[in-house]
């Protein structure tokens, strides 16, 4: 009769076996997505396949806009990529720098996609911890004068104060004058 293992060691062994099975499946998926002998992979297709962009057309648009460089040169969407190439992609306000480890032509899962390149990108900038300004609970009615003053103060801190409150004239313009461009008396 086989031995029954109990305790943390048995759980760790099961987890390792499951992880090994997942890695084997990922390797099979990567092999299936590999180009056949002699085939090349387009850069727009490759950056889509390894999940650097969401759609292939977005990858093509990035190439056309000059946001994709391979080995320092701007490339067209049809440029063939090879193992060892350095790909620089400016996308969503961030620059990604990757070195091609494996060529694939089909989109694969994220664990497999990560195995296809070496990521040399700088870390993403930290997200700003901004308090939600102007968010009120639903059903609380109109803001009070105190609430409006707080909202106006927060908008001024963020540089969003576009118009003065309370009917006061804008700064730099005396009360009786019209702004330039208003020709209502000429009509």
């Amino acid at each position: 009769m086989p031995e029954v293992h109990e305790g943390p060691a048995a759980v760790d062994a099961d987890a390792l076996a499951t992880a090994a099975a997942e890695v084997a499946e990922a390797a099979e998926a990567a092999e299936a997505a590999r180009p056949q002998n002699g085939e090349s992979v387009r850069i727009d297709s490759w950056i889509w396949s390894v999940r650097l962009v969401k759609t292939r057309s977005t990858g093509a648009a990035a190439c056309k806009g000059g946001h994709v460089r391979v080995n320092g040169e701007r490339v067209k969407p049809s440029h063939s990529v090879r193992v060892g190439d350095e790909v620089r992609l400016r996308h969503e306000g961030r620059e990604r720098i990757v070195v091609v480890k494996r060529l694939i032509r089909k989109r694969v899962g994220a664990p497999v996609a990560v195995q296809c390149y070496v990521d040399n990108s700088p870390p993403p900038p930290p997200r700003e911890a901004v308090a939600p300004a102007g968010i009120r609970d639903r059903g609380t009615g109109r803001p009070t004068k105190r609430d409006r003053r707080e909202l106006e103060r927060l908008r001024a801190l963020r540089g969003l104060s576009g118009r003065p409150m309370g009917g006061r004239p804008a700064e730099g313009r005396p009360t009786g004058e019209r702004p330039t461009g208003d020709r209502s008396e000429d009509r």
Side-chain angles (χ1 to χ4, degrees):
M1 186 160 188
E3 293 182 29
V4 177
H5 297 285
E6 292 183 17
V11 174
D12 289 342
D14 292 340
L16 288 174
T18 304
E22 289 175 0
V23 169
E25 288 177 23
E28 288 176 23
E31 288 301 318
R34 239 186 189 166
Q36 302 299 325
N37 293 338
E39 286 185 27
S40 61
V41 178
R42 293 169 50 116
I43 185 66
D44 61 343
S45 179
W46 187 81
I47 61 176
W48 166 74
S49 298
V50 297
R51 297 176 169 267
L52 294 178
V53 293
K54 289 186 179 181
T55 64
R56 183 171 167 210
S57 60
T58 304
C63 292
K64 289 177 185 173
H67 301 289
V68 177
R69 293 177 179 264
V70 175
N71 297 327
E73 296 182 18
R74 289 183 178 175
V75 294
K76 294 181 178 181
S78 61
H79 180 82
S80 295
V81 67
R82 293 178 296 238
V83 174
D85 285 347
E86 180 189 66
V87 177
R88 290 177 175 256
L89 169 70
R90 278 194 338 258
H91 184 62
E92 296 178 352
R94 182 175 175 214
E95 184 172 29
R96 301 286 308 265
I97 303 169
V98 297
V99 177
V100 180
K101 272 180 30 179
R102 180 183 292 164
L103 295 177
I104 59 172
R105 58 184 165 78
K106 294 180 184 175
R107 192 165 173 98
V108 293
V112 178
V114 172
Q115 296 175 356
C116 296
Y117 60 85
V118 176
D119 195 356
N120 295 331
S121 305
R127 292 186 179 182
E128 293 181 25
V130 178
I135 297 177
R136 295 174 42 86
D137 292 333
R138 201 174 176 102
T140 57
R142 294 180 58 178
T144 63
K145 191 169 188 175
R146 182 178 185 181
D147 293 339
R148 287 195 306 267
R149 285 181 180 156
E150 287 179 13
L151 287 171
E152 193 64 28
R153 183 181 54 81
L154 289 171
R155 286 185 187 130
L157 290 175
R158 291 176 41 198
L160 299 177
S161 180
R163 63 176 179 82
M165 290 186 62
R168 287 174 272 154
E171 294 176 10
R173 187 168 42 125
T175 306
E177 294 182 13
R178 291 191 181 105
T180 58
D182 186 9
R183 307 270 185 213
S184 59
E185 68 266 7
D186 294 346
R187 293 182 195 162

